[in-house]
Structure formats: C-alpha cells, structure tokens
Amino acid sequence: MTWLRARYKRLFPKKRCAVIFVVYMALFITQGLTVTATQKPDHQYEYNTATVVLLAECAKLLTSIVIYVCNNSWAEFKVEVVERRYLLAYYFVPAVLYCLYNNLQFTSLSWFDPTSYFVMMQFRVVLTGLLYQIFFKKQLNRIQWLSLILLTLGCIVQRLQENDIGKLSLDVNIYLGLIFLQVLSSCSAGVCTEYILKSGSDTNVMVQNVFLYLNSIFCNLVLLTWNGQSSTS
C-alpha cells in the first residue's frame, strides 16, 4: 500500500491534478460517444464535420483569451501577443497535424464503434513513449516498457477475428491505416507542441495556445475551401 501511495503521489502531486485527469478522460470518451450518436443509420453525418472542428477551435481560442485576461489584463495580452508573434509561425506545424487528427476522428468513428476506436487509439501512448525517448532523451523504466508492450498486445488482440476455417487472423484494412495516420499525427503534434512550449517557456501558456488555435482555424478554413464547402457550411 505504501508503494501504491507513493506512485499515486508521483502521478498526482495535487488533488486538482487527479481531478483534471479524470475530467480529461471523461471529455475524451464523451466526445467519441457524442460523435457516434449524431451519425445517421448509414454512419454518415448530417452536418459538415470540418465546420464542427472549426467552431471547436474558435471556442478554444476564445477560452484561452478569456483565461489570460481574467488572470492578467487585456493590455498585457496585446503586448505579449505582439512581442511573441514569432511563435505564430512555430505553431503552424502542430496546428496542421492537429487539424488532420481532429478531422480524421469523424471518419474513423464512422467505420469503427467507439469501443474499438478507443482501444486502437491507445497505440498513441506507445508511439508517444518512443518519440519522447528519442527527441527528449527520456529513458523509460521497466514498468513503462511493460505497459507499452501490454498496450501493443491489447491493440493487436482487438483486431483479431475468426475466419471461415476457425483460425484467428488480423483484420487489417485501409481504415485501420487511417487510424494509424491519426495516431501518428496526434503524437507528432504533441511532441512538436511540447518542444515549442519548452523553447518559449517564458511565454504565458495561454498566449501560446492562442497562436496554436489561430493556426488551427486557418488550417480548417483552408480545408473547407479545398473541399468546396466554405460557402455551404
């Protein structure tokens, strides 16, 4: 019990950390279930999914501005945005990756049930662990490696199915490839974002979020225009 209590304290040094973690997980699961619930019987959507992503990015942009202004002031916000405007270019790459991830989510959930989707998306934990070890020189301990191996096995088992002759085989298709692309974009975006955050550690996080969401809004507008849907959205 002492060992477990120590591990818990390391993961959640403050009570609010545990609350934030639980809320994040709840929102993540709720989002997937909500998207699935809004599908038509043919698993298509009655609304423009790219517009939904765009509105979500606008909401996150507004939230970041409000949080900053509540803790500081509007004048300070304008000054810091102007002084740190160079970060806008840095956040373009992760914004493109997040745009890809967010839009692919609707495609993936139209082909997979939420349970299968959530299980396969856990592979991003594996990929994130490998990327962090490579780019941030963070060595994983034995327990972390064991966790990654178990997660990988879980993702493989989830795709096992029994064929006509009673043998198990992996169910691999193009939509599984889209899931992997979604995982890759999410992990790469996370690594890029953390690198930029650490590079500009003297810049308020909310200001950095503003630059990220501005780029994300631009990317989604480009996507809408490219699809020829900007006039009908």
PDB file of all heavy atoms in Angstrom, residues 117-143:
ATOM      1  N   TYR A 117     -12.569   1.948 -31.424  1.00  0.00           N
ATOM      2  CA  TYR A 117     -11.827   3.190 -31.708  1.00  0.00           C
ATOM      3  C   TYR A 117     -10.943   3.574 -30.523  1.00  0.00           C
ATOM      4  O   TYR A 117      -9.752   3.873 -30.692  1.00  0.00           O
ATOM      5  CB  TYR A 117     -12.818   4.305 -32.032  1.00  0.00           C
ATOM      6  CG  TYR A 117     -12.191   5.671 -32.160  1.00  0.00           C
ATOM      7  CD1 TYR A 117     -11.489   6.034 -33.307  1.00  0.00           C
ATOM      8  CD2 TYR A 117     -12.294   6.609 -31.128  1.00  0.00           C
ATOM      9  CE1 TYR A 117     -10.905   7.292 -33.424  1.00  0.00           C
ATOM     10  CE2 TYR A 117     -11.719   7.867 -31.245  1.00  0.00           C
ATOM     11  CZ  TYR A 117     -11.028   8.195 -32.386  1.00  0.00           C
ATOM     12  OH  TYR A 117     -10.448   9.434 -32.503  1.00  0.00           O
ATOM     13  N   PHE A 118     -11.508   3.574 -29.320  1.00  0.00           N
ATOM     14  CA  PHE A 118     -10.744   3.977 -28.140  1.00  0.00           C
ATOM     15  C   PHE A 118      -9.586   3.015 -27.854  1.00  0.00           C
ATOM     16  O   PHE A 118      -8.500   3.438 -27.452  1.00  0.00           O
ATOM     17  CB  PHE A 118     -11.653   4.068 -26.916  1.00  0.00           C
ATOM     18  CG  PHE A 118     -12.620   5.224 -26.971  1.00  0.00           C
ATOM     19  CD1 PHE A 118     -13.954   5.047 -26.642  1.00  0.00           C
ATOM     20  CD2 PHE A 118     -12.194   6.479 -27.356  1.00  0.00           C
ATOM     21  CE1 PHE A 118     -14.843   6.111 -26.687  1.00  0.00           C
ATOM     22  CE2 PHE A 118     -13.073   7.546 -27.419  1.00  0.00           C
ATOM     23  CZ  PHE A 118     -14.400   7.360 -27.082  1.00  0.00           C
ATOM     24  N   VAL A 119      -9.820   1.718 -28.075  1.00  0.00           N
ATOM     25  CA  VAL A 119      -8.759   0.738 -27.846  1.00  0.00           C
ATOM     26  C   VAL A 119      -7.598   0.983 -28.807  1.00  0.00           C
ATOM     27  O   VAL A 119      -6.426   1.027 -28.403  1.00  0.00           O
ATOM     28  CB  VAL A 119      -9.288  -0.700 -28.001  1.00  0.00           C
ATOM     29  CG1 VAL A 119      -8.125  -1.696 -28.001  1.00  0.00           C
ATOM     30  CG2 VAL A 119     -10.254  -1.043 -26.880  1.00  0.00           C
ATOM     31  N   MET A 120      -7.911   1.166 -30.094  1.00  0.00           N
ATOM     32  CA  MET A 120      -6.847   1.361 -31.087  1.00  0.00           C
ATOM     33  C   MET A 120      -6.138   2.694 -30.911  1.00  0.00           C
ATOM     34  O   MET A 120      -4.936   2.811 -31.189  1.00  0.00           O
ATOM     35  CB  MET A 120      -7.440   1.239 -32.495  1.00  0.00           C
ATOM     36  CG  MET A 120      -7.833  -0.183 -32.848  1.00  0.00           C
ATOM     37  SD  MET A 120      -8.436  -0.341 -34.546  1.00  0.00           S
ATOM     38  CE  MET A 120      -9.984   0.541 -34.448  1.00  0.00           C
ATOM     39  N   MET A 121      -6.857   3.699 -30.422  1.00  0.00           N
ATOM     40  CA  MET A 121      -6.223   4.991 -30.208  1.00  0.00           C
ATOM     41  C   MET A 121      -5.207   4.957 -29.068  1.00  0.00           C
ATOM     42  O   MET A 121      -4.368   5.844 -28.960  1.00  0.00           O
ATOM     43  CB  MET A 121      -7.293   6.050 -29.919  1.00  0.00           C
ATOM     44  CG  MET A 121      -8.058   6.518 -31.158  1.00  0.00           C
ATOM     45  SD  MET A 121      -6.976   7.190 -32.446  1.00  0.00           S
ATOM     46  CE  MET A 121      -6.290   8.611 -31.610  1.00  0.00           C
ATOM     47  N   GLN A 122      -5.282   3.934 -28.210  1.00  0.00           N
ATOM     48  CA  GLN A 122      -4.303   3.824 -27.134  1.00  0.00           C
ATOM     49  C   GLN A 122      -2.902   3.541 -27.662  1.00  0.00           C
ATOM     50  O   GLN A 122      -1.921   3.685 -26.928  1.00  0.00           O
ATOM     51  CB  GLN A 122      -4.717   2.732 -26.144  1.00  0.00           C
ATOM     52  CG  GLN A 122      -6.017   3.020 -25.411  1.00  0.00           C
ATOM     53  CD  GLN A 122      -6.085   4.439 -24.879  1.00  0.00           C
ATOM     54  OE1 GLN A 122      -5.219   4.869 -24.125  1.00  0.00           O
ATOM     55  NE2 GLN A 122      -7.113   5.168 -25.276  1.00  0.00           N
ATOM     56  N   PHE A 123      -2.807   3.156 -28.928  1.00  0.00           N
ATOM     57  CA  PHE A 123      -1.481   2.917 -29.511  1.00  0.00           C
ATOM     58  C   PHE A 123      -0.665   4.197 -29.557  1.00  0.00           C
ATOM     59  O   PHE A 123       0.569   4.157 -29.638  1.00  0.00           O
ATOM     60  CB  PHE A 123      -1.624   2.332 -30.917  1.00  0.00           C
ATOM     61  CG  PHE A 123      -0.315   1.863 -31.499  1.00  0.00           C
ATOM     62  CD1 PHE A 123       0.309   0.728 -31.014  1.00  0.00           C
ATOM     63  CD2 PHE A 123       0.304   2.571 -32.514  1.00  0.00           C
ATOM     64  CE1 PHE A 123       1.532   0.310 -31.524  1.00  0.00           C
ATOM     65  CE2 PHE A 123       1.518   2.158 -33.041  1.00  0.00           C
ATOM     66  CZ  PHE A 123       2.132   1.016 -32.548  1.00  0.00           C
ATOM     67  N   ARG A 124      -1.361   5.343 -29.461  1.00  0.00           N
ATOM     68  CA  ARG A 124      -0.608   6.600 -29.466  1.00  0.00           C
ATOM     69  C   ARG A 124       0.231   6.745 -28.196  1.00  0.00           C
ATOM     70  O   ARG A 124       1.218   7.480 -28.190  1.00  0.00           O
ATOM     71  CB  ARG A 124      -1.551   7.783 -29.648  1.00  0.00           C
ATOM     72  CG  ARG A 124      -2.533   8.032 -28.528  1.00  0.00           C
ATOM     73  CD  ARG A 124      -3.400   9.227 -28.861  1.00  0.00           C
ATOM     74  NE  ARG A 124      -4.389   9.477 -27.821  1.00  0.00           N
ATOM     75  CZ  ARG A 124      -5.222  10.515 -27.843  1.00  0.00           C
ATOM     76  NH1 ARG A 124      -5.182  11.376 -28.841  1.00  0.00           N
ATOM     77  NH2 ARG A 124      -6.088  10.697 -26.884  1.00  0.00           N
ATOM     78  N   VAL A 125      -0.178   6.056 -27.123  1.00  0.00           N
ATOM     79  CA  VAL A 125       0.639   6.059 -25.898  1.00  0.00           C
ATOM     80  C   VAL A 125       1.978   5.390 -26.188  1.00  0.00           C
ATOM     81  O   VAL A 125       3.035   5.858 -25.751  1.00  0.00           O
ATOM     82  CB  VAL A 125      -0.098   5.335 -24.753  1.00  0.00           C
ATOM     83  CG1 VAL A 125       0.781   5.296 -23.501  1.00  0.00           C
ATOM     84  CG2 VAL A 125      -1.432   6.005 -24.457  1.00  0.00           C
ATOM     85  N   VAL A 126       1.925   4.284 -26.938  1.00  0.00           N
ATOM     86  CA  VAL A 126       3.140   3.561 -27.306  1.00  0.00           C
ATOM     87  C   VAL A 126       4.042   4.442 -28.166  1.00  0.00           C
ATOM     88  O   VAL A 126       5.242   4.588 -27.893  1.00  0.00           O
ATOM     89  CB  VAL A 126       2.793   2.266 -28.073  1.00  0.00           C
ATOM     90  CG1 VAL A 126       4.062   1.523 -28.477  1.00  0.00           C
ATOM     91  CG2 VAL A 126       1.895   1.369 -27.224  1.00  0.00           C
ATOM     92  N   LEU A 127       3.447   5.033 -29.184  1.00  0.00           N
ATOM     93  CA  LEU A 127       4.231   5.865 -30.099  1.00  0.00           C
ATOM     94  C   LEU A 127       4.772   7.107 -29.405  1.00  0.00           C
ATOM     95  O   LEU A 127       5.913   7.518 -29.640  1.00  0.00           O
ATOM     96  CB  LEU A 127       3.362   6.264 -31.300  1.00  0.00           C
ATOM     97  CG  LEU A 127       4.072   6.956 -32.471  1.00  0.00           C
ATOM     98  CD1 LEU A 127       5.221   6.096 -32.970  1.00  0.00           C
ATOM     99  CD2 LEU A 127       3.089   7.224 -33.610  1.00  0.00           C
ATOM    100  N   THR A 128       3.966   7.698 -28.533  1.00  0.00           N
ATOM    101  CA  THR A 128       4.415   8.879 -27.786  1.00  0.00           C
ATOM    102  C   THR A 128       5.611   8.532 -26.898  1.00  0.00           C
ATOM    103  O   THR A 128       6.578   9.294 -26.817  1.00  0.00           O
ATOM    104  CB  THR A 128       3.272   9.442 -26.919  1.00  0.00           C
ATOM    105  OG1 THR A 128       2.188   9.837 -27.760  1.00  0.00           O
ATOM    106  CG2 THR A 128       3.751  10.646 -26.113  1.00  0.00           C
ATOM    107  N   GLY A 129       5.547   7.372 -26.230  1.00  0.00           N
ATOM    108  CA  GLY A 129       6.659   6.949 -25.387  1.00  0.00           C
ATOM    109  C   GLY A 129       7.954   6.808 -26.171  1.00  0.00           C
ATOM    110  O   GLY A 129       9.020   7.231 -25.720  1.00  0.00           O
ATOM    111  N   LEU A 130       7.852   6.233 -27.366  1.00  0.00           N
ATOM    112  CA  LEU A 130       9.039   6.063 -28.204  1.00  0.00           C
ATOM    113  C   LEU A 130       9.575   7.408 -28.692  1.00  0.00           C
ATOM    114  O   LEU A 130      10.788   7.651 -28.695  1.00  0.00           O
ATOM    115  CB  LEU A 130       8.694   5.167 -29.396  1.00  0.00           C
ATOM    116  CG  LEU A 130       8.312   3.717 -29.051  1.00  0.00           C
ATOM    117  CD1 LEU A 130       7.888   2.969 -30.314  1.00  0.00           C
ATOM    118  CD2 LEU A 130       9.463   2.992 -28.372  1.00  0.00           C
ATOM    119  N   LEU A 131       8.670   8.302 -29.106  1.00  0.00           N
ATOM    120  CA  LEU A 131       9.091   9.610 -29.606  1.00  0.00           C
ATOM    121  C   LEU A 131       9.741  10.447 -28.506  1.00  0.00           C
ATOM    122  O   LEU A 131      10.740  11.129 -28.739  1.00  0.00           O
ATOM    123  CB  LEU A 131       7.895  10.355 -30.199  1.00  0.00           C
ATOM    124  CG  LEU A 131       7.338   9.803 -31.516  1.00  0.00           C
ATOM    125  CD1 LEU A 131       6.091  10.569 -31.949  1.00  0.00           C
ATOM    126  CD2 LEU A 131       8.385   9.863 -32.629  1.00  0.00           C
ATOM    127  N   TYR A 132       9.172  10.399 -27.305  1.00  0.00           N
ATOM    128  CA  TYR A 132       9.744  11.164 -26.201  1.00  0.00           C
ATOM    129  C   TYR A 132      11.124  10.646 -25.840  1.00  0.00           C
ATOM    130  O   TYR A 132      12.015  11.425 -25.471  1.00  0.00           O
ATOM    131  CB  TYR A 132       8.818  11.104 -24.983  1.00  0.00           C
ATOM    132  CG  TYR A 132       7.818  12.222 -24.952  1.00  0.00           C
ATOM    133  CD1 TYR A 132       6.750  12.242 -25.845  1.00  0.00           C
ATOM    134  CD2 TYR A 132       7.940  13.272 -24.048  1.00  0.00           C
ATOM    135  CE1 TYR A 132       5.826  13.275 -25.835  1.00  0.00           C
ATOM    136  CE2 TYR A 132       7.024  14.307 -24.032  1.00  0.00           C
ATOM    137  CZ  TYR A 132       5.970  14.303 -24.924  1.00  0.00           C
ATOM    138  OH  TYR A 132       5.058  15.328 -24.919  1.00  0.00           O
ATOM    139  N   GLN A 133      11.332   9.346 -25.925  1.00  0.00           N
ATOM    140  CA  GLN A 133      12.644   8.785 -25.620  1.00  0.00           C
ATOM    141  C   GLN A 133      13.669   9.221 -26.659  1.00  0.00           C
ATOM    142  O   GLN A 133      14.835   9.451 -26.330  1.00  0.00           O
ATOM    143  CB  GLN A 133      12.574   7.265 -25.552  1.00  0.00           C
ATOM    144  CG  GLN A 133      13.905   6.612 -25.226  1.00  0.00           C
ATOM    145  CD  GLN A 133      13.758   5.260 -24.564  1.00  0.00           C
ATOM    146  OE1 GLN A 133      13.175   5.124 -23.500  1.00  0.00           O
ATOM    147  NE2 GLN A 133      14.277   4.229 -25.218  1.00  0.00           N
ATOM    148  N   ILE A 134      13.227   9.345 -27.911  1.00  0.00           N
ATOM    149  CA  ILE A 134      14.138   9.721 -28.988  1.00  0.00           C
ATOM    150  C   ILE A 134      14.466  11.205 -28.953  1.00  0.00           C
ATOM    151  O   ILE A 134      15.636  11.606 -29.004  1.00  0.00           O
ATOM    152  CB  ILE A 134      13.537   9.341 -30.360  1.00  0.00           C
ATOM    153  CG1 ILE A 134      13.423   7.811 -30.485  1.00  0.00           C
ATOM    154  CG2 ILE A 134      14.387   9.913 -31.497  1.00  0.00           C
ATOM    155  CD1 ILE A 134      12.673   7.351 -31.709  1.00  0.00           C
ATOM    156  N   PHE A 135      13.420  12.066 -28.861  1.00  0.00           N
ATOM    157  CA  PHE A 135      13.614  13.513 -29.009  1.00  0.00           C
ATOM    158  C   PHE A 135      13.935  14.224 -27.700  1.00  0.00           C
ATOM    159  O   PHE A 135      14.607  15.257 -27.707  1.00  0.00           O
ATOM    160  CB  PHE A 135      12.370  14.137 -29.647  1.00  0.00           C
ATOM    161  CG  PHE A 135      12.171  13.748 -31.081  1.00  0.00           C
ATOM    162  CD1 PHE A 135      11.230  12.794 -31.431  1.00  0.00           C
ATOM    163  CD2 PHE A 135      12.933  14.313 -32.089  1.00  0.00           C
ATOM    164  CE1 PHE A 135      11.049  12.419 -32.756  1.00  0.00           C
ATOM    165  CE2 PHE A 135      12.764  13.945 -33.407  1.00  0.00           C
ATOM    166  CZ  PHE A 135      11.818  12.995 -33.744  1.00  0.00           C
ATOM    167  N   PHE A 136      13.458  13.705 -26.569  1.00  0.00           N
ATOM    168  CA  PHE A 136      13.687  14.379 -25.303  1.00  0.00           C
ATOM    169  C   PHE A 136      14.652  13.609 -24.395  1.00  0.00           C
ATOM    170  O   PHE A 136      14.860  13.997 -23.246  1.00  0.00           O
ATOM    171  CB  PHE A 136      12.357  14.599 -24.572  1.00  0.00           C
ATOM    172  CG  PHE A 136      11.454  15.570 -25.283  1.00  0.00           C
ATOM    173  CD1 PHE A 136      10.405  15.117 -26.066  1.00  0.00           C
ATOM    174  CD2 PHE A 136      11.656  16.938 -25.182  1.00  0.00           C
ATOM    175  CE1 PHE A 136       9.573  15.998 -26.729  1.00  0.00           C
ATOM    176  CE2 PHE A 136      10.829  17.827 -25.837  1.00  0.00           C
ATOM    177  CZ  PHE A 136       9.776  17.360 -26.614  1.00  0.00           C
ATOM    178  N   LYS A 137      15.203  12.508 -24.928  1.00  0.00           N
ATOM    179  CA  LYS A 137      16.193  11.716 -24.192  1.00  0.00           C
ATOM    180  C   LYS A 137      15.678  11.264 -22.819  1.00  0.00           C
ATOM    181  O   LYS A 137      16.418  11.223 -21.837  1.00  0.00           O
ATOM    182  CB  LYS A 137      17.493  12.528 -24.005  1.00  0.00           C
ATOM    183  CG  LYS A 137      18.037  13.137 -25.281  1.00  0.00           C
ATOM    184  CD  LYS A 137      18.348  12.101 -26.346  1.00  0.00           C
ATOM    185  CE  LYS A 137      18.932  12.742 -27.601  1.00  0.00           C
ATOM    186  NZ  LYS A 137      19.171  11.763 -28.682  1.00  0.00           N
ATOM    187  N   LYS A 138      14.374  10.958 -22.764  1.00  0.00           N
ATOM    188  CA  LYS A 138      13.782  10.470 -21.513  1.00  0.00           C
ATOM    189  C   LYS A 138      13.756   8.951 -21.537  1.00  0.00           C
ATOM    190  O   LYS A 138      13.070   8.344 -22.353  1.00  0.00           O
ATOM    191  CB  LYS A 138      12.361  11.020 -21.341  1.00  0.00           C
ATOM    192  CG  LYS A 138      12.300  12.526 -21.124  1.00  0.00           C
ATOM    193  CD  LYS A 138      10.875  12.979 -20.863  1.00  0.00           C
ATOM    194  CE  LYS A 138      10.817  14.467 -20.587  1.00  0.00           C
ATOM    195  NZ  LYS A 138       9.425  14.918 -20.335  1.00  0.00           N
ATOM    196  N   GLN A 139      14.539   8.344 -20.657  1.00  0.00           N
ATOM    197  CA  GLN A 139      14.620   6.893 -20.610  1.00  0.00           C
ATOM    198  C   GLN A 139      13.401   6.305 -19.878  1.00  0.00           C
ATOM    199  O   GLN A 139      13.049   6.743 -18.791  1.00  0.00           O
ATOM    200  CB  GLN A 139      15.909   6.460 -19.902  1.00  0.00           C
ATOM    201  CG  GLN A 139      17.176   6.896 -20.629  1.00  0.00           C
ATOM    202  CD  GLN A 139      17.283   6.281 -22.012  1.00  0.00           C
ATOM    203  OE1 GLN A 139      16.989   5.090 -22.197  1.00  0.00           O
ATOM    204  NE2 GLN A 139      17.701   7.078 -22.982  1.00  0.00           N
ATOM    205  N   LEU A 140      12.774   5.336 -20.511  1.00  0.00           N
ATOM    206  CA  LEU A 140      11.628   4.673 -19.891  1.00  0.00           C
ATOM    207  C   LEU A 140      12.115   3.578 -18.942  1.00  0.00           C
ATOM    208  O   LEU A 140      13.073   2.868 -19.251  1.00  0.00           O
ATOM    209  CB  LEU A 140      10.726   4.066 -20.968  1.00  0.00           C
ATOM    210  CG  LEU A 140      10.184   5.034 -22.035  1.00  0.00           C
ATOM    211  CD1 LEU A 140       9.345   4.267 -23.054  1.00  0.00           C
ATOM    212  CD2 LEU A 140       9.359   6.132 -21.401  1.00  0.00           C
ATOM    213  N   ASN A 141      11.433   3.443 -17.808  1.00  0.00           N
ATOM    214  CA  ASN A 141      11.811   2.373 -16.887  1.00  0.00           C
ATOM    215  C   ASN A 141      11.133   1.066 -17.275  1.00  0.00           C
ATOM    216  O   ASN A 141      10.358   1.005 -18.222  1.00  0.00           O
ATOM    217  CB  ASN A 141      11.478   2.765 -15.439  1.00  0.00           C
ATOM    218  CG  ASN A 141      10.000   3.084 -15.258  1.00  0.00           C
ATOM    219  OD1 ASN A 141       9.133   2.393 -15.801  1.00  0.00           O
ATOM    220  ND2 ASN A 141       9.712   4.129 -14.481  1.00  0.00           N
ATOM    221  N   ARG A 142      11.423   0.007 -16.533  1.00  0.00           N
ATOM    222  CA  ARG A 142      10.905  -1.321 -16.883  1.00  0.00           C
ATOM    223  C   ARG A 142       9.380  -1.383 -16.833  1.00  0.00           C
ATOM    224  O   ARG A 142       8.742  -2.021 -17.674  1.00  0.00           O
ATOM    225  CB  ARG A 142      11.505  -2.375 -15.952  1.00  0.00           C
ATOM    226  CG  ARG A 142      12.983  -2.670 -16.235  1.00  0.00           C
ATOM    227  CD  ARG A 142      13.530  -3.694 -15.273  1.00  0.00           C
ATOM    228  NE  ARG A 142      13.537  -3.182 -13.892  1.00  0.00           N
ATOM    229  CZ  ARG A 142      13.930  -3.889 -12.848  1.00  0.00           C
ATOM    230  NH1 ARG A 142      14.344  -5.138 -13.005  1.00  0.00           N
ATOM    231  NH2 ARG A 142      13.922  -3.360 -11.631  1.00  0.00           N
ATOM    232  N   ILE A 143       8.799  -0.715 -15.847  1.00  0.00           N
ATOM    233  CA  ILE A 143       7.336  -0.726 -15.732  1.00  0.00           C
ATOM    234  C   ILE A 143       6.704  -0.024 -16.930  1.00  0.00           C
ATOM    235  O   ILE A 143       5.684  -0.475 -17.472  1.00  0.00           O
ATOM    236  CB  ILE A 143       6.900  -0.055 -14.414  1.00  0.00           C
ATOM    237  CG1 ILE A 143       7.371  -0.890 -13.225  1.00  0.00           C
ATOM    238  CG2 ILE A 143       5.380   0.137 -14.372  1.00  0.00           C
ATOM    239  CD1 ILE A 143       7.024  -0.290 -11.878  1.00  0.00           C
TER     240      ILE A 143
END
